[in-house]
Every structure is written in C-alpha cells, then in structure tokens.
Amino acid sequence: MLSSTSSVSLRRTLTERVQQKLNEILESSDLIKFVALVTMDGFTIASGMKDNVNINPKWLGALIVSSIKNLELNLKKALSEANLSELVISLGQDLLIVKSIGKLALIMIVDKSLDMNFIMYEVEEGLNDLSIDLGLEKR
C-alpha cells in the first residue's frame, strides 16, 4: 500500500512539473495561444491555453497524432524513407505547430506574426526540458 501511495505522489509531482513547463512556454509570448504535450499514441498529458481560446486538448492531441502517423505512413509509401518530426499547418491567422521527439509531441497554436525562429526555439527547448523531466532523454 505504501508503494502505491508514493507512486501516486511522484506522478502528481511529475504532472505538476510538466504543467509548469507548458505554462512557461505559454507565458513566454502573448502570441502563443495553446500548448499541449501528447504521447504518440494520442494521450494528452497536459495542456494550457489562453482565456480566449476554446480547444478540447484531448481531441486535438488524438487527432494530431493520428494524422501524423497516417501522413508519415503515406509519405513512406511515396518516398521510401520519410520521418515526420515537425509539422506546421496554417489556421487562418494562426499556425498549428507539432514537434515530435520519440514518444512525445508538443503541439502549439501561435499567431502567424510571431517569429518562426522564436517559435521553433521555444518548441525545441520546451520539449528538451520536458523530456529531461520525464526521464526520457539526458542532455
């Protein structure tokens, strides 16, 4: 019984750390509207969004991951070798950005006016921090 209690405590702490990292990414610019960390099997670990954004993060995470898998499979059929690690989709005035690393993907919705270099830097740094916190990668 004690071990399950301590594992629940560790998971809560990890979830809180992941949520904190996502909040840091979200707060780094007023032009970042949504951020989520999902597993590559479609489970949304945590997410954050600005008040004026109405997104169901669980549905979006699952949709994006399944779309990436299908797109990557079709690209492999057409091009023999393909590895989809970044995806940028235009959504009117916004961009939907997906960056995958291993078993995780970071999803962001940002205003198009935000500098793309800044966005990709934030995505990369955020994913690196999250991977380290989750024990999936060492720097």
Side-chain angles (χ1 to χ4, degrees), residues 24-35:
E24 288 172 10
I25 294 169
L26 189 63
E27 293 168 5
S28 67
S29 172
D30 289 339
L31 300 176
I32 298 174
K33 300 176 180 184
F34 173 82
V35 62

Side-chain angles (χ1 to χ4, degrees), residues 22 25 34-40 61 64-65 68 72 83-89 95-109 116 119-131 137:
L22 293 181
I25 294 169
F34 173 82
V35 62
L37 181 69
V38 300
T39 63
M40 288 308 285
I64 292 298
V65 169
I68 285 175
E72 188 171 43
N83 183 13
L84 190 61
S85 61
E86 295 176 8
L87 181 64
V88 179
I89 300 171
L95 295 173
L96 173 68
I97 300 169
V98 182
K99 172 76 176 167
S100 63
I101 291 183
K103 297 181 180 186
L104 298 176
L106 189 67
I107 301 171
M108 294 176 66
I109 296 178
M116 185 57 79
I119 294 169
M120 296 318 290
Y121 175 79
E122 287 297 316
V123 169
E124 196 71 39
E125 285 299 305
L127 262 178
N128 285 337
D129 288 349
L130 288 168
S131 294
E137 182 179 312

